[in-house]
Every structure is written in structure tokens, then in C-alpha cells.
Amino acid sequence: MTTPNTQPGATPPGGSALAAAMPAVPPVESPLRRFLSDFSASWLALLATLMLAVIILIALFAPWISPQDPYDLAVVSIFDARLPPGSTSMDGTTFWLGTDGAGRDLLSAIFYGLRISLSVGVMSGIIAIIVGMSVGLAAAYAGGRTETLIMRVVDLQLSLPAVLIALILLAILGKGVDKIIIALVIAQWAYYARTVRASALVERRREYVEAAACLGLGHARIVFRHILPNCVAPLIVVGTVQTAHAIALEATLSFLGVGLPLTEPSLGLLISNGFEYMLSGKYWIAVFPGVALLLTIVSINIVGDQLRDVLNPRLQK
Amino acid sequence: MSGEQPLLRLEGVSKRFTKHLDAAEKLVNLVGGRRREEVVHAVDDVSLDVREGEVVGLVGESGCGKSTLGRVVAGVHQPSDGKVIWRGKDVSGLTGAARRDALLKIQMIFQDPMSSLNPRMRVADIIGEAPRVHGLVPAADIPAYVDEMLQRVGLDPAYKTRYPHQFSGGQRQRIGIARALAVKPDFLVCDESIAALDVSIQAQVLNLFMDLRTDLGLTYLFISHDLGVVEHLSDRVVIMYLGRVVESAPTEALFGGPNHPYARALLDEVPRIDRRKRAFQPVKGEIPSPLSPPSGCHFHPRCPHATARCREEVPRLREIAPGWTSACHLNDERG
Amino acid sequence: MSQTSPVLQVEDLQTHFFTRAGVARAVDGVSFSLGRGEVMGLVGESGSGKTVTGFSLLGLVDPPGRIVGGSIRLGGEELIGRSERDWQALRGTRIAMIFQDPMMTLNPVLRIDTQMIEAIRAHAPVSEADARERARAALARVGIPSPDERLAAYPHQFSGGMRQRVAIAIALLNEPDVIVADEPTTALDVTIQAQILYEVRKLCAETGMAMIWITHDLAVVGGLADKVAVMYAGRIVEEGPVDAVLDGPLHPYTHGLVGSVPSQNQRGQKLTQIPGMAPSLLSLPPGCSFAPRCARADGACAVMPDLVGSGDGRAMRCHHPHLPPGEAAGGAIGETGRARA
Amino acid sequence: MPVFAPPDFLGEAPVPVRPFSAVFTSFAPLCAPVERSRPMSVFILRRLMQSALVMVAMAAIVFFGMHLVGDPVDMFVSPDMDQADIEQVVRALGLDRPILEQFWAFVTSALQGDLGQSFVFGQPALGLILERMPATLELAFIALLMAIVFGIPLGLYAGLKPDSPVSRTIMAGSILGFSLPTFWVGIMLIMVFAVMLGWLPSTGRGETVEVLGVPVSFLTLDGLRHLILPAFNLALLKISLVIRLTRAGTREVMLQDYIKFARAKGLGRGRIVGVHVMKNILIPVVTVLGLEFGSLIAFSVVTETIFAWPGMGKLLIESIQQLDRPVIVAYLMMIVFLFVVINLVVDVLYSILDPRVRLGDRGA
Amino acid sequence: MTSVRTPLLRAAVAFACAAAVSAPALASDLRIGVASEATSIDPHFHNLGPNNQIASQIFDRLINQGDRQQLEPGLAVSWKPINNTTWEFKLREGVTFHDGSPFTADDVLCTFARAPEVPNSPASFSTYIKGKTFKKVDDFTVHVTTDEPYPTMANDLSVIPVISDEVGCGATTADFNDGKAAMGTGPFKFVEYVPGDRIVLAANENYWGGRPEWDKVTIKPIKAGPSRVAALLAGDVDMISGVPTTDIGTLKETKGIVLSQGVSNRVIYLHVDQFRENSPFVKANGGGDIKNPLMDQKVRLAISKAISRELIRDRVMEGLSIPAGQLLPDGFFGVSDKLKPEAYDPEGAKALLAEAGVPDGFELTIHGPNDRYINDAKIVEGIAQMLTRVGIKTKVETMPRSVYFKRASTGAEGGLPEFSLILVGWGAGSGEASSPLRSLIATYDKEKGMGAANRGRHSDAKVDELVEQALKTVDDGKRAALLAEATELAMANLAIIPIHYQVNTWASREGIVYTPRSDEYTLAHYARSQ
């Protein structure tokens, strides 16, 4: 926490009668800097952030760092199917984590799977945030019947669990990365809408918004320059948690057989495929993707947890 | 009243907040339910003149509508009824630049120094935003202009890259004042602007208000529950109770001898450092809910002089002396 | 007034907060005593340590805060160093407290009777029915109409003023020797505040309880208290009978405080003001903490002045007090046993 | 960890926040909101109107949506059937009629309580669901019970001693419990407890006895043994949730003035935690758990699939796989209806627990 | 392949053995875990494997099918054509239903009257009954007449369970489900049906074929393969069907578990788009349009040669498939003994592609289901890999059968098949080559009811003629020859590209041996204790 009462003094300019106990001008402490120092107070959160950074880098650069392109059917051979970790293929490459049932190098498959899982989670998160944010802001700022109507829809949607919504949608839409993103967005936008609306409602009642109205600033300016930046904190918290949710949800849906197609295996699908091998001793096919998924979700959740603590207005002063 | 045109005139201004019934509630009513729309008459038919350069104190307890009235004046709320007339022109009839100018000429200073500044903006942006957006000052001059504003309210311009949380309550209030001054207003609505400050800081800010008045010729609507502050600052005091003005009088006259029983109770009951240990019987009862105010004179359930008439008839504000109006039936009986 | 031994005697109380940013000496050597039936106003601005003093008296200082020294004697018994169990037995019976925000002091999900009865039965094996009767009586005493019905109500069904009355009733339940009231009327409207002040004054007179009324409002103290202590940056800078202090403040801070009240000034004139702002408790200036804001400060103020008492029950902590005209510095003020280094 | 000092020391009075809303917002992503309104009758009516709307909307979306996908007849016909046979099936199932006509037929019979016949089972879809509902409800209830029994004490401990190593372990565990995908945990549970240790059966429901005509398994030893793993699998996420909710609530409540006031009254720690804290945190916990009951039912889709638990979640997955449209539509209608009921129950519970809601909240 | 196993799994297996040994069920009880659940006890409700499987245990047919689907006397002791259009069935005497009532010709007549008319049936048995007239000659003789000569009469009637005139024929499906009408003559009596959880049967003491070995049979649907295996390892069931190929290795090495395997009547094959000049999922290299090369027999042959069926068997199916060269495995009625699986020959494939004018191959998307056949998606992937290696750049798209079959049959405009190259399977319910020939190979013709599942729209008038002729030839020998000839012709033309026949695996705890059935059914009376 920041120190209480470290306030810069006022100077006595000219005639204004303000003698002051003048502390030295402390460095400008922007909200970001303050946030960073609070955030880094927990080593666990730092570790998780680091882990997440590594995971994201792997996902971003998967095509360049993977030993094999697991989608290139000219490279993948079922001759190499289900090799244990450390085996070498016919042409001499080593499969550090073994291969799966189709002969893919598991390490590469995990890298690409991370890429797909993360991009599904993040993409759906971003789109859902944009949709939810617009709707939530519109509701909060418009008020009246518009708000009632919008929030009713949000409530209704929230009363049905995301997994069910996604399940039904995917049953209708079919498989595919685009489809699952659509399903996740539809299943999750309402969380963001509610979050944004809740904090926008709080912010809207704050006096600085009245002041802005008083200063003749336009609606758009008030909404986007004044209210929105102050709703970002809860949005970030909800966003991280929901992204972790989205990744887990995608894995679950893929496990249930309605998520992604086999040819674009996310981590969930890799685990699901590995599930078949669970009792056959070929543990690596399910375990390694499972570990990757777990590390991803856990680190996102730890980061989200710390964000919640740091950004919680109640615990912050 | 003098023939001089008032700077600001309120004519029969009312502000109601209504919670409408939804479909379900209407349906319940159809089958015999008794759901009613909830209406709060926050401000009920208030007329008021403020002359140029005058300081009008607006006094009342919680729920009396003084803050709502201030916001109607400042243009934050639109009145449900009545007119706000600025320099002879009905504000609601103005459009475009004229409307904007009228809006900018009336600025507001808020109560809570925590929430009245956007925590995500730097001081320079808080103060400089409106002049820049409205083009009041050429963009290149904004930094210098912000410095000037900060100096005017007694803050070191070196702090303008800071964020609000890095300032103390008193300093934040100064920033709020600088923000208002930056659009060159003629009229400041101060809504409990010093209530949240420590005693020693209150004095500093009050002094600043008085300096600004003399330096810039500002007119104030000074809203407060603190009678001492209002007495010190105002030329004229308006007392509100549950949305209505009950008495309006020149400060000295009012503090010399209030007419309305509520005004009397209020003045008596404020603890004052110079009037200690007086034995008195405080006015009884609680402030009624604005959702269901008492009939007739809103004060009648607590009034020691209430009669049957007070329960039924709303007393009108009538002049009891030049520039002194009061809304009490007792005045009729006295003649 | 002070013939009988004081109910509460506080000596050099020190409560510090051990935060990441350093040690905040929220209460740093506070001493005072309180006789039976006496009402003392404890006045100060935010951060002056008055609330922490109040909490310290009930042993309610939470980590990272800790009472690090001094003595609190209640009816001659030393409280500091007692176990939590002892404190528990004391709280509510011998010494009680009322809080600032009436909306927050009562548990919103428990009925008033539950909250009152538990306060009685926590200290004595009283039957439910007897406890209820005592609760009812307490409500009646603080002026709550139809107390029987109100007992079964929840806090949210009361107005702010009524809730504060309930809180006072709860504090009164076990007839404590001392009540610590922490800004109990600050959040209330003027007419309601007047009602509460009226009731409290009556109660003190009737029961003979001593009371510490913590506030920032000198006017309230003026109307209520017998004596007043003014705190600044964790220390008492001036104390004495209320009229004497308000009419002739000695310490420059008290002087400024009284001066900055509008009604003490000519209408429309600039107010006397104390420049600057209260220092951070984490980085107090050496010597007199008020020196940086004080017009009278000089080199001598680099040394912390002792609390010096005068014969008329007054004491202050200043090298350059505002003495009444005609009195030479140090003339009327002698050392008293109460003052400590 | 933020440091707390008394209000006066910080120089700012704390903003009074109702603990409920505070806890609620801090767990915003995890729980659905409940519209709180004053009179019950209006409230119930509003809920019913809303849910009628959702049910119609849901039915329409799913009905039309499902018709875009696949052709159920392809799923059913046996290899030896020729085109004429297939067409006859299409006619028999009414799939040759225009979609709007089919929908109209569905709506009219739905209004009479007939949600259509399952293609696969040839039985009334509603009957099929109702038949499997007790199994799912039982699973969900036991999971809920586990969430409460494990979650509240652990969360309370973590909230009262936020900095102790035990609390940190509890919280780390809850993050893990949060992050582990249900299906993965299910597989692991079977691996460890059924296959490796052989303590508990791996799949199925086990012996049931009828109570008031409803088959339940928790009353028989065999049934109980079958129940433990799937219920725990389903409960794990909720245990984490309850731990976190309870902890957040406890921390929030412990900071409130009324707790300090209770201490100033001389109350013991037991009374304060057991009555003052518990009653306050129970409100959000019960509310959220009630709402989460819906998600338990939804997630039972996963658990039932893994543990071959004969509930309606498994039926849904199978119906989706086999394009048994009437069952899918009927399931959703039932779920929406169930959620309406759950939400109502939660609201009633909430109003019982929180006196501020019971009688029009006039204070604010 | 080296076998690496963690201690955890070793422990798992060890414990599993312990569990299997320590908790043996009563010797006369049998608990079976099956992959898919019957949707009804009504034997006529849905002509569907899991339903027929249950029905086969409670009910008898006039003619039962043996483990290789050979026809065996059931409730009919003999059957023969008495003229070109009439078959005579002599019924078994002295048989009683589970409720003790005697079995007579009336039961047969009412069965065939009810079977095609069950309300809400998603796929009834009418296919096998239409065009046939049943006549009771005496209590134990029934005559069936048709308009045309009808050689597959016995096959048709071997799929329809016979129910009781008294309690069954007037009953609804629901009556069967709750047991009221579930009265057959089969080896087991119906006891209990808990949808989604179990079906319980009890031995029919008076079964004409001898009292079955098991007093009580519990059939539990456990859909997920690993869960099924886990249930067996944990001792929750005594036997499972549909052992996932992946677990076979482990189970083989597990003490206390025995496996039984048998080839299925199901052929897994590729349907090739042969009717469109522009096939939607065939593109020139780089994505441009191209004249459909799949219409060229050489290209189809190249595809067939590019696929290593042995590799798929070894690496995908874990040895559990038999490379296929025609429509049914050896030994089934009407198969050709001349046809062998196409040998793996990538060089030959490339040469053929060059010959066909596409030396650099082309781009292709292969489609397949992912939840229908054993390892279906993986087979598709393996095939795609192999095709890519000979120059046909192949993408893979798999989907659940709920979506797949509609698109595969009628997904394109005008109700035409949507895909270009698809993986499908065909199980011949009647155990005759006529079944796949008629549905998969014959020209698509709605009027005649031919080629109903011909998703490649291969069309060969000669084949059609042979098939039609065979379907009217009552003489078994002649018919078999005609069918074999049609098959040879179709295979030469690569009407379809057969991949393999599935081999099914059952696993049971030691002491129980299952006789595998080619129709993939799991029947309690085929399980014997040792």
C-alpha cells in the first residue's frame, strides 16, 4: 500500500497566504506505477506473470520454435504414432515429449495447442469485452427503459450457465475455431456487460462526471474519456478470470466433442485424445497437454487474483 | 426588488424523480395490487433571484433538495417544471453556442474532494480539458493557462503532472475550484464545498472563495448545512425544508430573528462556540421521508405552533418585510 | 471536581502503527484523567490520533497498530498488559464506546433485541427475559418511542438518529463508568444532532457516567463538555476547562482552530487560518510538530515542549503560548505532577 | 497485502459499502445477479413473465437452429433401408412439413404440456427428462452440500487469518480447484480412487431406493459409494468458489464498524465470528450457491458423461450427438424452468436471510 | 515401440488385478459394460444395433444369426421355398413365452403385422416386411409369399424378433419399456430397465435351447471407452464390449483379464465423388478449379495404392483390422475369393497419377466422421498423410456424425452429396454381399430403391444388372456367384476404395470367455464361464 498522508504541499504563490510544510517533490506516481508496485508485492503473482509471459511467447512463436509443424501431413507420419518421450523418428528427429496417436510430435502439438487455446481464449475475451463494454456502457449511460431492457437480457443470459449456452450453440454451429469463438463470446459477453454497467453506474454518479457535464463536455467525451477509463480496472479483473474460464471451457467443450476439429488440436482436444490412452500406459499423450493447460489456467488465475486484490477499490486507498 | 435584472432567476422550478411501474407491477395493479409510482419531489416550485455579485446561502438539512436545486442551477439536471433564466434568457430555450456559454458561465464546486476529480487524469488535463475542448484558450497557451489557474487557487504549478490521489483534501478542493475557474465562469454553485474538510482547511478554502469573489467579481450560490459558514459568507440566506423554500431573507435580518418556525429551530439548535450551555428544547421528531412528505406545510408534524390549517394548506411564500419572505400561516394571523 | 480519585487516568499512552512505510506514532504520549460524571471533549482534526486514543482505551487497536507504552487506569486498575479475555470482560461493562457512523455500527442482519441482549448476557448470567426488559428500558431511556416494537426491528428500519440512539442505549446497557463517543453526531442533521446532544447531556447528569466525546467540532464540545483536550499529531497540545480554553486558547494551534470558526470572526471578513496542513504521522518534524505551521515558531521549537500545567486545571505544550495580556511567560505556569517529559 | 489502519489514522472516513454488494462485486464474474425488488408478488410475477419470454425465445432459437444442422433421419436409419423407407421415416417424424408448421405444432402442443416425442426413444421428451432428473438433482445437491461443508469452514479460516501459512495453502488450493478443468479431474478421480486404489466404483449410479416415488441413491451404502466421486468432481469448483466467497466476505465483514462495535460491547470472538460474521457472509454465500446450483446442473453434463451417471446431462449430450431435437428443446425448456424456480428459491432465501430486503428497503 | 510406463500405471494395473480378484461377483451373475445404450425394450421400435442386441436376448427370431451371421434355426426349425414366390416356415413346437403361454403361428403373424407399424419409430423393420404376405397354414406352419422371387427371405426374417400375440402385439413401446409387454421366448427374461443406467435380465429356465448359464445379467451402458475399461479394471463389470484399440495392449498384459476378438461384418471404405465435373473439395494445386480427377479410374486406383492398409492396421488400429479388398470379409455369403486388398505402392500411385495427367497431384479435402467407427478420425488423418506423400495435398475435416451424414448424403445443392472423398463404414446386417452391393454400389435410383447410400454416385449398368438379377435368384449357389461377379466388377472400377474390416474386441475378467460376433452384438448367452 502506498503511504498515507504523503501529500505534496501547496506552495504559497504570490499573495495567497499559504505557508507550507514543504516536503521535497516526490516522483510523479502515476496510477500505472502505483499499480505495478502493488502488484509486484506478491512473489507468487510475479512468478505467475513470468510463467504467463513464457506461455504467451511460446504461443506467439510456436511456428518458429516447434520442432515440427504438426499440421503438415507431409511431415507427420503415423509411423511415429504413440512414441514415448525421448524417442527418435525414422528420420532422426527426437520427440522430447513423445508423439500422439497420429504421430505428431507432442511438444510441437502442445506449442500449437497453446496457440489455439490462448487465441481462442483471448480472441473471445477481446470480442466479448468489446461487445459487453459497449452494451454495458450504453445501458449505464442511457438509463431508463433502454437500460432495463438491456439488463434484462443480460440477466437472462447470465441465469444460464456458460457451458450450457456454448454447448447448444456449438451443437448448432458445428466445429471450428471461429465457431467456438462465437460461442464463447455469446456465452460470456454478458459478464462484461454487467461488470461495466455496474462500475459505470457507480462512476456515473461520481461528482467528476457531473463536473464534466457542468463543463459542457459532450456525451461521447464523458463516456469514453471520463467514465470508461475508470471502469477498466474491474474489467481487467473479470477479463483475466473469464479468459481462464474461456480456455477451460473450450477444453471442456472439445472434450465433449463439440469444440474444435481434430485437425486444429487445442490443449483440451489433445487431452481429450490422450484420455483414450489414459489406461494404456501412454500417459504422455494426455499428461503433458494437461500440464500445459493447467499451468496456463493457474497462472492466469493467480494473476487475476492479484489484480483483484490490487485493483479492488475497497482494499485500495 | 430593484429593477435591475437579476443574474440568475429561478421561476417555479421543480425537480421530480420518478420510478415508473414496470409491466409486472402494472399487471399486479390490474388484479387489485396497489403499486404506485414513486415520485420524489426533490425540488418543489422554487423561485429565486440571484443578483450579480451577490452571495446567496442555501441552507437545509438532508433531503431538503438543496443539492438538487444547485444541480438544476448548474445545468447538471434539467428542471421538471419551471424556468432557469440566465441574464434574462430562459436557458432551456437556448441552443448551440449560446447554450454552451450559459452552461459554462455557471460552474459548480462539489462536496467530495475524492470523487469530484477523475482519478485517471492528471491535474493539467483536469483543468485544461474544458478550455481546450471549447477553444476558450488557444491550444498552445493551455499549459501556461493551467499554471495560471493553479496559482490563482494557491497551488504550485509544478504539481500539475500529478494525479488527484497525490493531493490532500484541501488541495483537491483547490484543483476543483481551478477546474471551474478555467472556463471563466460568472457564477459558482458551491455544494457543501467545505463540508468534507478539516476545520483549519475549511478556513483556508473559505478565504479563497472570498478572495476570488473580490478578485473576479463572482456570484455564489453557497449551499451548506453549516449555518456559521453561511452566515459568515452570504448576503442573503434561503432556507429549504423538504423541497420547498420556507424562508428567504438578508443574512443579518435572518440571524437577527428568523420568522419561520423551522428556521428558528435550525438557528437555535446549531451549536455555536459563542453560545454555549444554553438550555433549550430541541425540535422534536425526525425529518420525514421525501417519498411521502407530510400534507400541507411539510413542517407541521414537528412544529410547536402547528394548527389544523397547517395540515391541509400549503403555505405560500409571502413578503413579510422588504427582501424577506417566509412561508408560514402564522404570518397571516399576525396580520 | 477532582477531589475524588479519577475514574479514568491515562498516562503517557503510546499507540503506534507498524506499516510497510514506517512506524506511525498515532498516539504519542497522551495523558489525561477523567472524574466521575465528567465530560471531556477530545478535539482534533483528521489524523490527529483522537480516534486511535479512543480505541486504545478499549484495547481495540488492531494490527498493525499496537499500544507500545503508557498506562490506562480505570478505577485504579491498570489495563495495559491485560489479556484479551480481561479486556473483553471490561468492554461494555466498565467502559463502552459509540462510533461515528450510525449506519454502520449496528449489524444489519441482526435484530436490535439480539444485539442488545447479547451485550448483557456476554457479561452476566441474566435470563433472556430480564435482559430483554433491560434492553427495553435502555431504549426508553434514550428517547426511543414504543421501545417494545422497536426491539424486534432491524437496524435498517431506523433513521440515522434513531440508530445512534440505539447505539447509545447499547453502550448504556451495563452502566459503564466511562463512555467513549467517537464523533457520534457528525453524520447527523443539525436538528437531530441537537436532540442527541440534549439526551446525552441529560443522561450524563442522571447516571454520573464519565464521557470522552471525540470530535472535530469545537462548537459541539463547547455545548457539551466540562473540559477539553486538543490533539495535534498524536499529542495533546492543550487541555483545560472548556470555557477557559475556548475563550482564551493558549496554544497557537488551539488559537488558530478557534479563530478559524466563522462565527468567531467578523462577518464577511477573512477568517483567521492555520496555514499548511497536518503533517504525516510517518514523518513528523523534529521538535514541536506544529512548528512548521506556526507563526510563533523559532529555534526553541526544535525541541519538543513538555505539557505544562497551570493551577486552574489548564495545561499546554508550547514554548510560545498566547498568554493573556499582562501575564509574563512562565509566570503563572508552574510545573505540575501531571506533566511528563 | 494491504495494511489496514483505523479510519481516523488514514485521514479518510471509509466509504460505507454494504458487505453484500461488496462481496458480490468482488466476485462479479462468478455469480449471476439477482434483481431485488420489494414486494414478493410483483417480483414473482416479473420473474414468471421474464421466464416465459426466455422459454419461448429459447425454444424458437433452438428449434430453428437445430434444423440447420444435420438430418436426424440420417442418424436413425438402418443400412438396409432404401429411399422409400427413409422417406417414410421422414414423414412419420413429421420432418417433411415446412419448418414454420413444425414450430407451430410444437408450440401448440407445448402449451398443453407436450414437448414432443423423442426421435430416439419414441417416448415423450419431457418424460425422458423427468425420469433422469432425480439422478442429476441428487448429484447436484450432494455437490452443493460438499461445497458448503468444505468451503465455509476453510474460507472462514482463511478470512480470519489471511496471512497464516495455512490460509495461503487454502487459497492456493482454491486457485487450483478453480483452474482444474472438470473433465480432467473426473478422469483423475477414476484413475486414482477406482482403478488404482479400488476404493470406490468408477461409474454408474448404484443401488437406489425410492423415497416418495423418487429413486435416490444416497440412502444405500452402494449408492453412496457410487455418489462420492462424481459429486466431488462436480463440487470441486464450487468448493473453491465458496472458500473464496467466504474468505472475501469474512475479510470484508471483519473490517466493518459493527464488528468493532460488537467487540466494544465485550462480545467474545466465538460470538462475533459465529453470529455477526457468519450471518453476514451467509447471505452472499447462500445466494451465490443457489445461483450456482444451476451451473452445477449444467456442469453435470461433463461429470455424468465421465462417470456414466444416468442423469439428464448425459441425456443431453447423447441427444446432441444423435440430433434428437425434441429432447434437446425439451431439456432447455426444463432447464430454463428449473432456473426460474431456483432463482425464485434463492430470492426467497435471500430475503429470509437479509432483513434489509424483507421489508422495503427504506433506509437508503 | 518401447513400452514406457509410469509407476502410477503399473500400480493401477496391479490394483486393478487385486480388485478383479478380490471382488468377484457371484459366479452366475454377469455384468456387462456396453458402449451404447438401447433406446427401448420394444424390439420393433428401432432397427438399431443396441436395441437389437437387447432384443436378441429376450426374444427369438424365426431364424437366428450365428456368430458369423450364419443362419441358424430359431423359432423356425426349417424354411424352404415351396415355389418361386412362396416360402414355407416350419415352427418349433413346445416353445413357451416367459409368461408360460405357448408359442404358435399366431404369434408370428401378429409380430410381422406389428413390426412395420410401431408409432414414432425412427427406423422400423418395414424394409424387411414390405411386399411379403404372411399366411398361417396351421399352428406351426407359416407361408410367406412375395410378388417376385425373393431369395433373401430367410435373411430378412432373421432380423425381426418375435413377440407374443397375447401381451406384445397390442402393446405400446412404453408397455415394453416398463416390462409389461417384454415377453419373449429368448434365453433371458426381462427384469428391469433403468434408462441411462442399466438393463437387468434373468435366466429363462425353460429356454428351448437350454437354460442359459447366467442367473442374472446386468447390462450397463458406459459410453466413454476409458471409463468402460476402468469399470472392468475396477471390477464394476465382468465384461465389456468395444474395447478401445488403445487399451488392448495394456489389457492383454493385465492378469485376470482376457480378450476375445473377432472380425466384424463392417467394412470401412472411401466413397469417391464420381459424378461431378467439378467436385467441391478437389482443387488444382494452388486452389484453382480443376476437372474432377477422381472420375478417372486411374486416379482412384492411385489413391488405393497410396494407402498402406497394413500401416493403418498396425499404427492406428493397433493390429485390430483386416485390410479389405472388397465389401465383406472372407467367408460371408457372396464374397469373391479373387479379390485381395490393394498392395501399398506409392511409386505405382505416382505413376498412375502421371498417367492420368495429374503428375503433380492436386488438392483435396477428405471428410470423415469422428464419433462413428473405431478410430475413424485417425484413419482419415492417416490416409491424408499417405495421400499427401504421393502428391495429393490432402486436408482433413472430421465432424460428428450428426453433422457429417447429412452433409455426406445430401449436403450439396439439389440434395446431392456434398463431399469429394469421404470415409464411411458399412455393416451388412443380413450378412450377405447383396446388402452393400444394393445400397453402396448400385446406381442411385429412388424408384427402385437402389443405391440409397451410394454417396459417390458410382454407376455401372453391368453391375446394376448383376445385382438386380441376384436379388431375384433364389438358388443360393447361383446367387453367390452373381454377387461375387458384381463385386469383382465394382472393385475393378474402384466404385469404392475399401480400407479394412473392423475387428471388434471384448474384454472380460478371467473365467469368462466371449465368443465374438461379426455383427458386433454383445449377447450374454455368448459369454461362457470356464
Side-chain angles (χ1 to χ4, degrees), chain D residues 53-64:
Chain D
L53 254 169
V54 201
M55 281 168 89
V56 171
M58 193 63 119
I61 292 169
V62 175
F63 199 90
F64 291 108

Side-chain angles (χ1 to χ4, degrees), chain E residues 302-484:
Chain E
I303 291 176
S304 189
K305 280 179 183 296
I307 296 168
S308 168
R309 292 165 176 81
E310 289 73 24
L311 196 57
I312 291 176
R313 177 190 62 199
D314 297 343
R315 309 299 310 186
V316 178
M317 302 297 288
E318 311 240 355
L320 290 177
S321 67
I322 295 171
Q326 54 181 320
L327 301 167
L328 274 175
D330 291 346
F332 277 84
F333 187 89
V335 302
S336 159
D337 45 14
K338 294 179 196 149
L339 291 171
K340 294 283 164 276
E342 193 69 53
Y344 177 52
D345 179 10
E347 294 315 312
K350 284 181 195 161
L352 277 167
L353 287 176
E355 244 179 84
V358 279
D360 298 324
F362 48 93
E363 289 184 6
L364 175 70
T365 305
I366 177 170
H367 289 85
N370 58 19
D371 58 353
R372 180 65 189 91
Y373 313 111
I374 299 176
N375 297 334
D376 41 15
K378 278 185 239 164
I379 300 169
V380 174
E381 252 191 281
I383 290 173
Q385 287 176 13
M386 296 182 214
L387 294 184
T388 305
R389 276 155 204 262
V390 298
I392 305 172
K393 273 70 73 191
T394 309
K395 282 198 289 234
V396 175
E397 203 173 311
T398 60
M399 56 201 85
R401 57 187 159 144
S402 55
V403 179
Y404 174 74
F405 282 106
K406 167 154 191 191
R407 291 177 65 186
S409 309
T410 57
E413 237 171 279
L416 292 173
E418 181 180 345
F419 304 132
S420 298
L421 183 67
I422 57 171
L423 180 105
V424 213
W426 186 269
S430 63
E432 255 204 38
S434 61
S435 154
L437 275 172
R438 199 174 87 128
S439 297
L440 304 182
I441 308 285
T443 306
Y444 182 86
D445 187 336
K446 234 173 155 176
E447 300 303 311
K448 291 185 188 161
M450 302 283 264
N454 184 349
R455 299 186 176 101
R457 296 290 195 266
H458 173 80
S459 175
D460 185 335
K462 189 81 185 52
V463 174
D464 292 354
E465 202 189 308
L466 287 169
V467 173
E468 276 176 55
Q469 203 185 333
L471 289 173
K472 286 180 193 145
T473 305
V474 177
D475 183 280
D476 279 355
K478 279 188 199 156
R479 193 165 87 250
L482 284 169
L483 292 174

Side-chain angles (χ1 to χ4, degrees), chain C residues 10-214:
Chain C
V10 178
E11 294 265 348
D12 194 25
L13 180 67
Q14 291 174 321
T15 305
H16 295 180
F17 284 79
F18 301 87
T19 69
R20 240 170 61 187
V23 179
R25 298 156 187 269
V27 176
D28 198 13
V30 163
S31 308
F32 61 84
S33 71
L34 199 61
R36 234 183 102 68
E38 201 172 18
V39 178
M40 180 178 98
L42 190 58
V43 180
E45 296 183 287
S46 356
S48 62
K50 56 190 193 300
T51 296
V52 179
T53 305
F55 282 140
S56 301
L57 296 180
L58 276 89
L60 284 177
V61 181
D62 287 326
R66 192 151 38 89
I67 297 176
V68 293
S71 127
I72 300 170
R73 251 170 286 155
L74 184 62
E77 257 180 85
E78 178 58 50
L79 300 187
I80 292 194
R82 291 294 190 86
S83 69
E84 175 62 21
R85 182 174 286 275
D86 289 351
W87 274 113
Q88 235 177 62
L90 276 165
R91 290 182 207 133
T93 45
R94 309 265 313 272
I95 183 163
M97 190 158 179
I98 309 165
F99 290 67
Q100 172 173 3
D101 187 349
M103 297 306 194
M104 301 299 294
T105 43
L106 298 174
N107 194 327
V109 300
L110 298 177
R111 292 194 337 194
I112 296 300
D113 53 359
T114 316
Q115 301 194 47
M116 296 189 82
I117 290 168
E118 69 179 2
I120 298 169
R121 309 227 301 174
H123 298 291
V126 181
S127 78
E128 175 96 25
D130 290 351
R132 177 176 298 275
E133 179 48 36
R134 264 170 68 182
R136 202 198 64 80
L139 285 186
R141 193 154 62 169
V142 296
I144 289 183
S146 52
D148 281 314
E149 287 167 36
R150 304 311 273 165
L151 266 180
Y154 284 93
H156 73 274
Q157 294 166 292
F158 290 80
S159 68
M162 283 298 166
R163 276 190 232 188
Q164 202 57 290
R165 283 171 200 253
V166 172
I168 294 171
I170 291 177
L172 288 173
L173 276 174
N174 295 308
E175 289 166 1
D177 301 328
V178 180
I179 291 186
V180 179
D182 183 9
E183 307 238 18
T185 59
T186 309
L188 303 176
D189 274 313
V190 174
T191 51
I192 308 300
Q193 167 172 283
Q195 293 168 354
I196 301 265
L197 289 177
Y198 176 78
E199 301 283 352
V200 165
R201 213 177 311 167
K202 216 170 66 181
L203 283 169
C204 282
E206 282 168 16
T207 59
M209 285 183 308
M211 179 174 261
I212 297 173
W213 190 277
I214 298 170

Side-chain angles (χ1 to χ4, degrees), chain B residues 61-62 198 200 234 276 286, chain C residues 45-46 159 189 191 247 267:
Chain B
E61 294 179 287
S62 53
D198 267 326
S200 63
S234 314
R276 285 167 233 145
E286 305 253 317
Chain C
E45 296 183 287
S46 356
S159 68
D189 274 313
T191 51
D247 291 336
R267 198 168 83 79

